[in-house]
Amino acid sequence: MFNGPIYLIIPAVKSVSNNQVFDHFLAIPSDIKQIERVQDFAHHVLSNSSYPSDIRHDIILALQEGVNNAIKHGNGNDSQHEVYIKMTLYESHLEMRIRDKGIGFDRDCLGDPTSPEQRMRCNGRGLLFIENYMDEICFAREADYHELKMVLYR
């Protein structure tokens, strides 16, 4: 399929309304082996940002967890479906969007991964990481995709 990173970086555009700086895009097949490409992509995007290294690590972990969920739950590990990632750097914040072909889910129906009966499970903590590392999280369901939007303010 893909041998290496394919990044699409839209040239710098600055709008008066939101001070948008850059859009960065990556599309990967739904294969967990692609996570390394996602990490490389995020390192590349964040390399010129003003976020300190510990915050960059948190951002990359949140993005990785979101992509893991998109691959496993959204696209059912079907490498024929792609996961689309968009990272946008603004002067005031970072916005990340992850799209998959899944039907989405009801956040309120998920169990609490910190509860005693859930603590010993090997999975189920990805969303907890995302919620702790990001300032805003939004789930959207459109006709042909599900999207997770994450925002971190500077």
Side-chain angles (χ1 to χ4, degrees), residues 20-69:
Q20 180 175 335
V21 180
F22 288 105
D23 280 336
H24 304 266
F25 298 90
L26 176 66
I28 60 166
S30 292
D31 181 341
I32 205 69
K33 296 175 192 167
Q34 297 294 318
I35 289 298
E36 189 173 329
R37 287 184 62 211
V38 173
Q39 293 169 338
D40 291 344
F41 168 72
H43 278 289
H44 173 76
V45 171
L46 296 170
S47 65
N48 293 320
S49 76
S50 62
Y51 288 105
S53 62
D54 60 327
I55 300 300
R56 288 183 198 180
H57 178 266
D58 294 347
I59 292 167
I60 292 169
L61 182 57
L63 180 64
Q64 177 182 319
E65 290 298 333
V67 171
N68 275 337
N69 287 345

Side-chain angles (χ1 to χ4, degrees), residues 139-154:
F139 302 98
R141 176 73 191 134
E142 297 297 329
D144 58 346
Y145 65 86
H146 174 258
E147 182 176 85
L148 165 62
K149 175 182 161 186
M150 301 177 281
V151 176
L152 181 66
Y153 292 97
R154 293 184 196 258

